[in-house]
Amino acid sequence: MIEVQSIDKSFAGQRVLRELGFEIPDGRITALLGANGAGKTTCLRIVTGLLRADAGRVLLGGRDVAADPLAARRQLGVVGDREGLYERLTVEEYLTLFARMQGLAGAALRQSLDAVREELELGELWKRRTRGFSQGERMKVSLARALVHRPQHLILDEPTRGLDVLAARLLRRTLLRLRAEGTTILFSSHVMSEVAELSDCVLVMADGRIVGNGSPAELMENTGSDNLEDSFV
Ligand code: ATP
């Protein structure tokens, strides 16, 4: 379970998160839905230990992320927003580097690389350098990197942004398979239709707070609208 408790965060005096609190249940896919600027990326960066909150705390499996960010990172897979890849490395070299950083070696390292290559259909890209990769190809490599150590929790910031139909389908299949294996998944999006398709629970975020939550069907029923962002903001 991921517990976010009363998080405040400001940048240069501008308050971006306001006593933000929610819980992410285990083995489910939860979406953080909100318009541009609602604070989703800031929230996810705090959850993953990349940013420090001004107040409040995040617990991952009961442990405070800020108190031990390295231990938290071992339980987490993270697919960030617009992240860079190391373009001089091949996909294989890049994923090997990250797997080693997660403490994998020998047969376990080999097995883990074989698994992500197959699951994310990386065969053709495996020996290629990542320079010039399409958005879909980059997403596959980022997701493989996030999964290489089989984390209990997976956090993705706007994972569908810029993806073509095939890449979006592969992402969807991968998330559903991970859920079936018991992985806890939190992703952000500003597109209601993909949130409805992919998630079990939705947290609607506006102006640094949670302003609604429930299953996609419950939220649509309560608001009488299939355009949730507009209903809450
Ligand atoms: P988007 O979908 O556009 O990425 P978001 O919901 O992820 O939006 P954030 O990226 O968290 O929102 O941004 C929330 C607010 O915080 C915005 O007004 C943004 O300009 C501001 N902000 C975020 N990071 C910083 C920073 N490092 N320095 C200053 N302001 C920031």
Side-chain angles (χ1 to χ4, degrees), residues 159-202:
T160 57
R161 181 176 348 187
L163 299 188
D164 62 31
V165 175
L166 280 181
R169 192 178 301 154
L170 178 67
L171 174 72
R172 197 157 51 238
R173 266 209 322 266
T174 306
L175 295 189
L176 294 176
R177 182 176 48 72
L178 290 167
R179 178 183 65 182
E181 291 169 4
T183 308
T184 302
I185 300 171
L186 171 63
F187 76 99
S188 69
S189 174
H190 59 271
V191 182
M192 181 54 206
S193 54
E194 71 186 28
V195 162
E197 201 170 72
L198 254 183
S199 60
D200 305 302
C201 324
V202 186

Coordinates of all heavy atoms in Angstrom, one line a residue, residues 159-202:
P159 N 2.1 8.0 -18.8 CA 2.8 7.0 -19.6 C 2.3 6.9 -21.1 O 3.0 6.4 -22.0 CB 2.5 5.6 -18.9 CG 1.3 5.9 -18.1 CD 1.3 7.3 -17.7
T160 N 1.1 7.3 -21.3 CA 0.5 7.1 -22.7 C 0.8 8.3 -23.6 O 0.5 8.3 -24.8 CB -1.0 6.9 -22.6 OG1 -1.6 8.1 -21.9 CG2 -1.4 5.7 -21.9
R161 N 1.4 9.4 -23.0 CA 1.6 10.6 -23.8 C 2.5 10.3 -25.1 O 3.6 9.8 -25.0 CB 2.3 11.6 -23.0 CG 2.5 12.8 -23.8 CD 3.0 14.0 -23.3 NE 3.2 14.2 -21.9 CZ 3.6 15.4 -21.4 NH1 3.8 16.4 -22.2 NH2 3.8 15.5 -20.1
G162 N 1.9 10.6 -26.2 CA 2.7 10.5 -27.5 C 2.8 9.1 -28.0 O 3.5 8.9 -29.0
L163 N 2.0 8.2 -27.5 CA 2.2 6.8 -28.0 C 1.2 6.5 -29.1 O 0.1 7.0 -29.1 CB 1.8 5.8 -26.8 CG 2.7 5.8 -25.6 CD1 2.3 4.6 -24.7 CD2 4.2 5.8 -26.0
D164 N 1.7 5.7 -30.1 CA 0.8 5.3 -31.1 C 0.0 4.1 -30.6 O 0.1 3.6 -29.5 CB 1.6 4.9 -32.4 CG 2.5 3.7 -32.1 OD1 2.2 2.8 -31.3 OD2 3.6 3.6 -32.8
V165 N -1.0 3.6 -31.4 CA -2.0 2.6 -31.0 C -1.3 1.4 -30.5 O -1.6 0.8 -29.4 CB -2.9 2.3 -32.1 CG1 -3.9 1.2 -31.7 CG2 -3.7 3.6 -32.5
L166 N -0.3 0.9 -31.2 CA 0.4 -0.4 -30.9 C 1.1 -0.3 -29.5 O 1.0 -1.1 -28.7 CB 1.4 -0.8 -32.0 CG 0.8 -1.4 -33.2 CD1 1.9 -1.8 -34.2 CD2 0.0 -2.7 -32.8
A167 N 1.8 0.9 -29.4 CA 2.6 1.0 -28.1 C 1.6 1.2 -27.0 O 1.9 0.7 -25.9 CB 3.5 2.2 -28.3
A168 N 0.5 1.9 -27.2 CA -0.5 2.1 -26.1 C -1.1 0.7 -25.7 O -1.3 0.4 -24.5 CB -1.5 3.0 -26.5
R169 N -1.3 -0.1 -26.7 CA -1.9 -1.5 -26.4 C -0.9 -2.3 -25.6 O -1.3 -3.0 -24.7 CB -2.2 -2.1 -27.8 CG -3.1 -3.4 -27.6 CD -3.4 -4.0 -28.9 NE -4.2 -3.1 -29.8 CZ -4.2 -3.2 -31.1 NH1 -3.5 -4.1 -31.7 NH2 -4.9 -2.3 -31.8
L170 N 0.4 -2.2 -26.0 CA 1.4 -3.0 -25.3 C 1.5 -2.5 -23.8 O 1.6 -3.3 -22.9 CB 2.8 -2.9 -26.0 CG 3.9 -3.6 -25.3 CD1 3.8 -5.1 -25.3 CD2 5.3 -3.2 -25.9
L171 N 1.4 -1.2 -23.6 CA 1.5 -0.7 -22.3 C 0.3 -1.2 -21.5 O 0.4 -1.6 -20.3 CB 1.4 0.9 -22.3 CG 1.3 1.6 -21.0 CD1 2.6 1.5 -20.2 CD2 0.9 3.0 -21.2
R172 N -0.9 -1.1 -22.1 CA -2.1 -1.6 -21.4 C -2.0 -3.0 -21.0 O -2.3 -3.4 -19.9 CB -3.3 -1.3 -22.3 CG -4.6 -1.4 -21.7 CD -5.7 -0.6 -22.4 NE -5.8 -1.0 -23.8 CZ -5.6 -0.2 -24.8 NH1 -5.4 1.1 -24.7 NH2 -5.7 -0.6 -26.1
R173 N -1.6 -3.9 -22.0 CA -1.4 -5.3 -21.7 C -0.5 -5.5 -20.5 O -0.7 -6.4 -19.7 CB -0.9 -6.0 -22.9 CG -1.9 -6.6 -23.8 CD -1.4 -7.8 -24.6 NE -0.1 -7.8 -25.1 CZ 0.3 -7.4 -26.3 NH1 -0.6 -6.9 -27.2 NH2 1.6 -7.3 -26.6
T174 N 0.6 -4.8 -20.6 CA 1.7 -5.0 -19.5 C 1.1 -4.6 -18.2 O 1.3 -5.3 -17.2 CB 2.9 -4.1 -19.9 OG1 3.3 -4.5 -21.2 CG2 4.1 -4.4 -18.9
L175 N 0.4 -3.5 -18.1 CA -0.1 -3.1 -16.8 C -1.1 -4.1 -16.3 O -1.1 -4.4 -15.1 CB -0.7 -1.7 -16.9 CG 0.2 -0.5 -17.2 CD1 -0.5 0.8 -17.1 CD2 1.5 -0.5 -16.4
L176 N -2.0 -4.6 -17.1 CA -3.0 -5.5 -16.7 C -2.3 -6.8 -16.2 O -2.7 -7.5 -15.2 CB -4.0 -5.8 -17.8 CG -4.9 -4.6 -18.2 CD1 -5.8 -4.9 -19.4 CD2 -5.7 -4.1 -17.0
R177 N -1.3 -7.3 -16.9 CA -0.6 -8.5 -16.5 C 0.1 -8.3 -15.1 O 0.0 -9.1 -14.3 CB 0.5 -8.9 -17.6 CG 1.2 -10.1 -17.3 CD 2.2 -10.5 -18.4 NE 3.0 -9.4 -18.8 CZ 4.0 -8.9 -18.1 NH1 4.3 -9.4 -16.9 NH2 4.7 -7.9 -18.6
L178 N 0.7 -7.1 -15.0 CA 1.4 -6.8 -13.7 C 0.4 -6.8 -12.6 O 0.6 -7.3 -11.5 CB 2.1 -5.5 -13.8 CG 3.3 -5.4 -14.7 CD1 3.8 -4.0 -14.9 CD2 4.5 -6.2 -14.0
R179 N -0.8 -6.2 -12.8 CA -1.8 -6.2 -11.8 C -2.2 -7.6 -11.4 O -2.4 -8.0 -10.3 CB -3.1 -5.5 -12.3 CG -4.2 -5.5 -11.2 CD -5.4 -4.8 -11.7 NE -6.0 -5.5 -12.8 CZ -7.1 -5.1 -13.5 NH1 -7.8 -4.0 -13.1 NH2 -7.6 -5.8 -14.5
A180 N -2.4 -8.5 -12.4 CA -2.7 -9.9 -12.2 C -1.7 -10.6 -11.3 O -2.0 -11.5 -10.6 CB -2.9 -10.6 -13.5
E181 N -0.4 -10.1 -11.4 CA 0.7 -10.7 -10.6 C 0.7 -10.0 -9.2 O 1.6 -10.4 -8.5 CB 2.0 -10.5 -11.3 CG 2.1 -11.3 -12.6 CD 3.3 -10.9 -13.5 OE1 4.1 -10.0 -13.0 OE2 3.5 -11.4 -14.6
G182 N -0.1 -9.0 -9.0 CA -0.2 -8.4 -7.7 C 0.6 -7.1 -7.5 O 0.7 -6.6 -6.4
T183 N 1.1 -6.6 -8.6 CA 1.8 -5.3 -8.5 C 0.8 -4.1 -8.3 O -0.3 -4.1 -8.8 CB 2.6 -5.0 -9.8 OG1 3.4 -6.2 -10.1 CG2 3.5 -3.8 -9.7
T184 N 1.3 -3.2 -7.4 CA 0.5 -2.0 -7.1 C 0.9 -0.9 -8.1 O 2.1 -0.6 -8.2 CB 0.7 -1.6 -5.7 OG1 0.4 -2.6 -4.8 CG2 -0.1 -0.3 -5.3
I185 N -0.1 -0.4 -8.8 CA 0.3 0.6 -9.9 C -0.4 1.9 -9.7 O -1.6 2.0 -9.4 CB -0.1 0.0 -11.3 CG1 0.6 -1.4 -11.5 CG2 0.1 0.9 -12.4 CD1 0.1 -2.2 -12.7
L186 N 0.3 3.0 -9.9 CA -0.2 4.3 -9.8 C 0.3 5.1 -11.1 O 1.5 5.1 -11.3 CB 0.3 5.0 -8.6 CG 0.0 6.6 -8.4 CD1 -1.5 6.8 -8.4 CD2 0.7 7.1 -7.2
F187 N -0.7 5.6 -11.9 CA -0.2 6.4 -13.1 C -1.0 7.7 -13.1 O -2.1 7.8 -12.7 CB -0.3 5.6 -14.3 CG -1.7 5.4 -14.9 CD1 -2.2 6.2 -15.9 CD2 -2.6 4.4 -14.4 CE1 -3.5 6.1 -16.4 CE2 -3.9 4.3 -14.9 CZ -4.3 5.1 -15.9
S188 N -0.4 8.7 -13.8 CA -1.1 9.9 -13.9 C -1.5 10.1 -15.4 O -0.9 9.5 -16.3 CB -0.2 11.1 -13.6 OG 0.9 11.2 -14.5
S189 N -2.6 10.9 -15.5 CA -3.1 11.1 -16.9 C -4.0 12.3 -16.8 O -4.5 12.7 -15.8 CB -3.9 9.9 -17.4 OG -4.5 10.2 -18.6
H190 N -4.2 13.0 -18.0 CA -5.3 14.0 -18.0 C -6.4 13.6 -19.0 O -7.2 14.4 -19.4 CB -4.7 15.4 -18.3 CG -4.0 15.5 -19.7 ND1 -2.7 15.2 -19.8 CD2 -4.4 15.7 -20.9 CE1 -2.3 15.3 -21.1 NE2 -3.4 15.6 -21.7
V191 N -6.3 12.3 -19.4 CA -7.3 11.8 -20.4 C -8.3 10.9 -19.8 O -7.9 9.7 -19.4 CB -6.6 11.2 -21.6 CG1 -7.6 10.7 -22.7 CG2 -5.5 12.1 -22.2
M192 N -9.5 11.3 -19.6 CA -10.5 10.4 -18.9 C -10.7 9.1 -19.6 O -10.9 8.1 -18.9 CB -11.8 11.2 -18.8 CG -12.9 10.4 -18.0 SD -12.4 9.9 -16.4 CE -13.4 8.5 -16.2
S193 N -10.8 9.1 -20.9 CA -11.1 7.8 -21.6 C -10.1 6.7 -21.2 O -10.4 5.6 -21.0 CB -11.2 8.0 -23.1 OG -10.0 8.6 -23.6
E194 N -8.8 7.1 -21.2 CA -7.8 6.0 -21.0 C -7.8 5.7 -19.5 O -7.5 4.5 -19.1 CB -6.4 6.5 -21.4 CG -5.8 7.5 -20.6 CD -4.4 8.0 -21.2 OE1 -4.3 7.9 -22.4 OE2 -3.6 8.5 -20.4
V195 N -8.1 6.6 -18.6 CA -8.2 6.3 -17.2 C -9.4 5.3 -17.0 O -9.2 4.4 -16.2 CB -8.5 7.7 -16.4 CG1 -9.0 7.4 -15.1 CG2 -7.2 8.5 -16.4
A196 N -10.5 5.6 -17.6 CA -11.6 4.7 -17.5 C -11.3 3.3 -18.0 O -11.7 2.3 -17.4 CB -12.8 5.2 -18.2
E197 N -10.5 3.2 -19.0 CA -10.2 1.9 -19.6 C -9.2 1.1 -18.8 O -9.3 -0.1 -18.7 CB -9.5 2.2 -21.0 CG -9.5 1.1 -21.9 CD -9.1 1.6 -23.3 OE1 -7.9 1.9 -23.4 OE2 -9.9 1.8 -24.2
L198 N -8.3 1.8 -18.1 CA -7.2 1.1 -17.5 C -7.2 1.0 -16.0 O -6.6 0.1 -15.4 CB -5.9 2.0 -17.8 CG -4.9 1.4 -18.8 CD1 -3.7 2.3 -18.9 CD2 -4.5 0.0 -18.4
S199 N -8.0 1.8 -15.3 CA -7.8 1.8 -13.8 C -9.0 1.2 -13.1 O -10.1 1.2 -13.5 CB -7.6 3.3 -13.4 OG -8.7 4.1 -13.7
D200 N -8.7 0.7 -11.8 CA -9.7 0.2 -10.9 C -10.2 1.4 -10.1 O -11.4 1.4 -9.7 CB -9.1 -0.8 -10.0 CG -8.4 -1.9 -10.7 OD1 -9.1 -2.6 -11.5 OD2 -7.2 -2.1 -10.6
C201 N -9.3 2.3 -9.7 CA -9.7 3.5 -8.9 C -9.1 4.7 -9.5 O -8.1 4.7 -10.2 CB -9.0 3.3 -7.5 SG -8.9 1.7 -6.8
V202 N -9.9 5.8 -9.3 CA -9.4 7.1 -9.8 C -9.4 8.1 -8.7 O -10.3 8.2 -7.9 CB -10.4 7.6 -10.9 CG1 -9.9 8.9 -11.6 CG2 -10.7 6.6 -12.0

